[in-house]
Amino acid sequence: MSELPRIVIVGAGIAGLCSAERLRELGFDGEVVIVGSEPTMPVYRPSLSKQFLTGELGSKDVLTAPAEDLGATWRLNTSVSQLDPRRRVVHLPGGEELEYDGLIIASGVESRRHPGGLNGHPRAAVIRTRADTRRLRQLIDGSREPVVVIGTGFIGCEVASSLRHVDRPVTVVGRANVLMNNLLDNDLATRLTDLHRRNRVRLELGAKVDSWAGGSSRIDLLLSNGRSLSAACVIVAVGSVPAVSWLRDSGARLDNGVVCEATCHVEGLEDVVAAGDVASWPNLRFETTPRRVEHWTNAIEMGRAAAESLLSGRESATPFTPIPRFWSEQHGLRIQAAGMPATGTERVSLDPVSTSERSLTGYLRDDELVGVIGFDRSVAVLNYAKKLQSKSLMTGAAHPQPLLSA
């Protein structure tokens, strides 16, 4: 099965690893080269803002490895600077050109920097890599000084919860008036915000950082609401950007990631697929608009699907139509989502009538369920995820079932 004698995977994260595993499972016996900018094997990223940050897991505990020897060449700590699809080469440091017959783009994302912030200051941190979190732990270990988190999204809230778990004073600063409003509707976001307050997270919401001043032992911030904060370190958690700079001038369509067809094949390129956080594709189970999904489970599933599509070829490949899923635990509350709630235009409670506080919310578009979010409702979210699996594809596959029935 060597029609593609060498397959190169750019990105040594979980999407790249799962792509390589799937290639071997399908009988690919050619050369596999995995090129990654980080110095280690793939890291279990969900732990970086949780157990690794709190010290419950050590550096080796967060590394993942293939279940068996893949017979792959790992080029770690190596950045790719350019793709030349006409000559089928990727450019590596020192002028090296690595040829490929098939290419899997799994280069992931990079942490977004705060505009006007002290990016690179020794007491300003992001959480994206194992080294990022290790450095943050060194900053806060043995100190009782406050920590400031800038960002009210997924990572910012998890970091705040983790720091309170080890009894560290923490302040969250964000322009939104409630936490995680990019995912949750206002009611659920308000409940989450109240939960953080009850756990003594100081919240400076509806505010932005107007100025920074950094010293050797602390950073001082002036907020737009007139308040001043002083912290041992500032954690910037304002989102991420796709790692696509190496794809400029390659002919790939770049629009909030590398744009793919429904089968993971990259638009405009031959024998090239993409997977994971960097890939924007139309999930035909829900919509025809390309969209990125930055979740661990999606990186695993899309890595495998991209490998299948590459071996099948563009004409024979099948669309990748997963049920996206994610979870977060904050102050003991388990938040879970399935489907694509962001594509919904209205919401409905899926709780029993007798329940006084909403904990399970369905998101609808054209009267059809497209997503569900639950607070401490693991079994129910799983059941609705199974129902969403039966949803008809936008291409016309037909196995409709009543999705709102319990």
Side-chain angles (χ1 to χ4, degrees):
M1 215 175 154
S2 302
E3 292 84 355
L4 301 171
R6 175 190 285 167
I7 293 177
V8 172
I9 302 172
V10 176
I14 192 64
L17 171 60
C18 290
S19 294
E21 289 181 329
R22 188 59 177 151
L23 290 173
R24 295 309 192 201
E25 289 172 6
L26 293 171
F28 177 72
D29 57 5
E31 185 180 1
V32 175
V33 181
I34 304 171
V35 184
S37 59
E38 294 181 32
T40 68
M41 296 290 282
V43 172
Y44 180 64
R45 294 195 192 278
S47 69
L48 297 183
S49 58
K50 297 190 276 289
Q51 299 94 333
F52 187 48
L53 177 59
T54 61
E56 296 171 61
L57 294 178
S59 291
K60 293 183 179 179
D61 298 327
V62 299
L63 294 178
T64 60
E68 57 186 49
D69 183 16
L70 296 176
T73 300
W74 291 80
R75 300 286 302 271
L76 301 177
N77 209 22
T78 302
S79 297
V80 176
S81 59
Q82 188 179 359
L83 165 64
D84 184 342
R86 183 183 61 81
R87 297 175 52 230
R88 292 185 177 236
V89 299
V90 292
H91 293 260
L92 305 183
E96 181 183 356
E97 295 183 347
L98 178 62
E99 297 180 354
Y100 68 83
D101 299 286
L103 177 67
I104 300 176
I105 297 172
S107 47
V109 294
E110 301 167 349
S111 294
R112 189 184 300 276
R113 304 295 174 174
H114 191 281
L118 295 176
N119 300 313
H121 188 279
R123 293 193 171 273
V126 297
I127 294 184
R128 181 63 197 167
T129 68
R130 188 178 68 157
D132 291 335
T133 305
R134 186 192 295 117
R135 187 170 74 86
L136 176 57
R137 284 173 53 175
Q138 292 171 348
L139 288 174
I140 65 178
D141 280 351
S143 167
R144 298 299 309 153
E145 295 298 314
V147 175
V148 170
V149 177
I150 300 177
T152 57
F154 184 82
I155 296 298
C157 289
E158 285 198 340
V159 168
S161 173
S162 296
L163 291 174
R164 289 303 304 136
H165 181 70
V166 293
D167 202 29
R168 287 302 301 264
V170 59
T171 299
V172 174
V173 179
R175 299 188 183 197
N177 292 317
V178 289
L179 301 177
M180 285 183 63
N181 71 320
N182 60 326
L183 174 69
L184 305 177
D185 65 65
N186 190 66
D187 291 343
L188 292 182
T190 299
R191 283 183 56 192
L192 181 65
T193 303
D194 292 341
L195 176 67
H196 277 261
R197 285 198 176 101
R198 291 197 302 272
N199 282 273
R200 296 185 295 165
V201 176
R202 178 180 171 182
L203 300 177
E204 294 288 350
L205 302 179
K208 62 183 181 70
V209 178
D210 276 348
S211 66
W212 302 56
S216 60
S217 61
R218 60 198 317 102
I219 290 179
D220 296 317
L221 303 175
L222 177 62
L223 306 185
S224 59
N225 59 14
R227 297 192 179 96
S228 298
L229 300 175
S230 185
C233 67
V234 175
I235 302 167
V236 179
V238 292
S240 59
V241 293
V244 295
S245 60
W246 64 284
L247 294 170
R248 307 291 180 194
D249 301 322
S250 68
R253 179 183 161 202
L254 304 179
D255 183 4
N256 187 30
V258 56
V259 180
C260 302
E261 300 164 6
T263 59
C264 306
H265 284 88
V266 174
E267 289 189 7
L269 301 182
E270 290 299 320
D271 295 321
V272 180
V273 294
D277 295 353
V278 73
S280 178
W281 94 105
N283 184 340
L284 298 182
R285 192 173 299 279
F286 298 97
E287 60 180 348
T288 58
T289 302
R291 189 184 298 263
R292 288 192 308 117
V293 176
E294 285 189 58
H295 298 311
W296 181 259
T297 303
N298 185 71
I300 293 172
E301 294 177 346
M302 195 172 190
R304 295 175 61 84
E308 294 173 10
S309 290
L310 182 61
L311 293 184
S312 296
R314 191 177 237 112
E315 298 304 318
S316 301
T318 58
F320 174 56
T321 59
I323 305 298
R325 304 177 302 283
F326 93 91
W327 69 273
S328 176
E329 191 161 314
Q330 300 174 29
H331 307 296
L333 172 70
R334 192 171 183 87
I335 305 169
Q336 288 175 281
M340 300 186 75
T343 66
T345 56
E346 58 180 310
R347 68 178 188 269
V348 61
S349 173
L350 300 178
D351 292 304
V353 176
S354 59
T355 303
S356 59
E357 188 173 49
R358 178 159 59 90
S359 61
L360 188 65
T361 303
Y363 294 80
L364 310 179
R365 187 181 67 237
D366 298 329
D367 295 324
E368 285 195 25
L369 188 71
V370 293
V372 60
I373 296 178
F375 281 11
D376 284 333
R377 295 294 303 275
S378 299
V379 174
V381 171
L382 178 61
N383 287 338
Y384 275 103
K386 292 177 180 177
K387 291 178 180 292
L388 284 167
Q389 193 71 45
S390 68
K391 180 178 173 61
S392 301
L393 303 187
M394 300 296 288
T395 51
H399 297 289
Q401 295 181 9
L403 296 177
L404 293 181
S405 61

